Amino acid sequence: MSDTYIMRAYKKALGLPFGAQLFSAYAARKAPYFRTVRPLVQRLEPNRCDIFIKKRRAVQNHIGTMHVIAVANGLEMAMGFMAEASIPKHLRWIPKGMTLEYPAKANTSLVCTAEVAADAWKAGDLNVEVSAKDVNGVVVVKGVIHLWISEKPSK
């Protein structure tokens, strides 16, 4: 595993009872809006993160499917955690935008995934592939989160 602060915290948490749940709750506090979807970090490693979002009333729309903004929230969290677990120490990132498509209805709980190639971490634009799959493996939302990668200023 990478030696980033987030990977160290994740690895440490996984050694505890209910470690994934504890880590997810702690991590969601860093950006409080993430708590609205009650995320569970299922997998975190350099260049990939999977976030589970349970279908419940608070994240549904008027037709009873998962609201796409809740799904986008999970996708953004997966991207952010993946980026923090992956980016080389001399670089920093900031999101520039998100492009999403909704190929199917989200009728079940979801796993939101962000993934990027290991050699993609260079200054400039970086497009991170994201997707949300239902419990049957059907992609219900897919897209790209656009990042700007830059060198950290020298101290």
Side-chain angles (χ1 to χ4, degrees):
M1 286 191 185
S2 178
D3 69 343
T4 63
Y5 77 93
I6 199 164
M7 288 306 302
R8 288 190 303 271
Y10 182 65
K11 187 176 180 180
K12 186 175 182 177
L14 289 182
L16 301 171
F18 303 102
Q21 292 89 337
L22 290 170
F23 176 80
S24 298
Y26 164 77
R29 287 184 56 145
K30 294 300 224 176
Y33 187 69
F34 289 147
R35 288 192 329 226
T36 63
V37 296
R38 294 188 187 160
L40 176 65
V41 179
Q42 285 190 322
R43 177 179 174 185
L44 177 60
E45 59 190 43
N47 307 306
R48 184 181 174 121
C49 182
D50 297 332
I51 304 283
F52 175 80
I53 300 175
K54 183 178 181 177
K55 184 182 177 198
R56 56 192 175 83
R57 178 95 174 105
V59 293
Q60 292 180 35
N61 58 25
H62 65 288
I63 61 172
T65 61
M66 294 275 283
H67 195 288
V68 74
I69 298 303
V71 179
N73 192 2
L75 293 170
E76 186 177 13
M77 183 175 180
M79 178 282 304
F81 279 44
M82 179 279 304
E84 287 298 308
S86 311
I87 195 163
K89 290 181 182 195
H90 69 285
L91 297 174
R92 60 186 177 177
W93 63 273
I94 190 166
K96 291 175 43 175
M98 180 186 297
T99 306
L100 299 176
E101 297 176 19
Y102 323 145
K105 289 182 182 177
N107 292 312
T108 70
S109 298
L110 302 174
V111 174
C112 298
T113 301
E115 192 167 22
V116 71
D119 63 355
W121 297 102
K122 300 174 179 80
D125 289 312
L126 174 60
N127 293 324
V128 178
E129 300 284 328
V130 294
S131 66
K133 293 181 181 176
D134 68 13
V135 297
N136 301 308
V138 175
V139 175
V140 298
V141 177
K142 65 180 180 177
V144 175
I145 298 178
H146 310 281
L147 303 182
W148 176 250
I149 310 296
S150 62
E151 299 278 339
K152 287 182 179 174
S154 57
K155 294 183 179 183

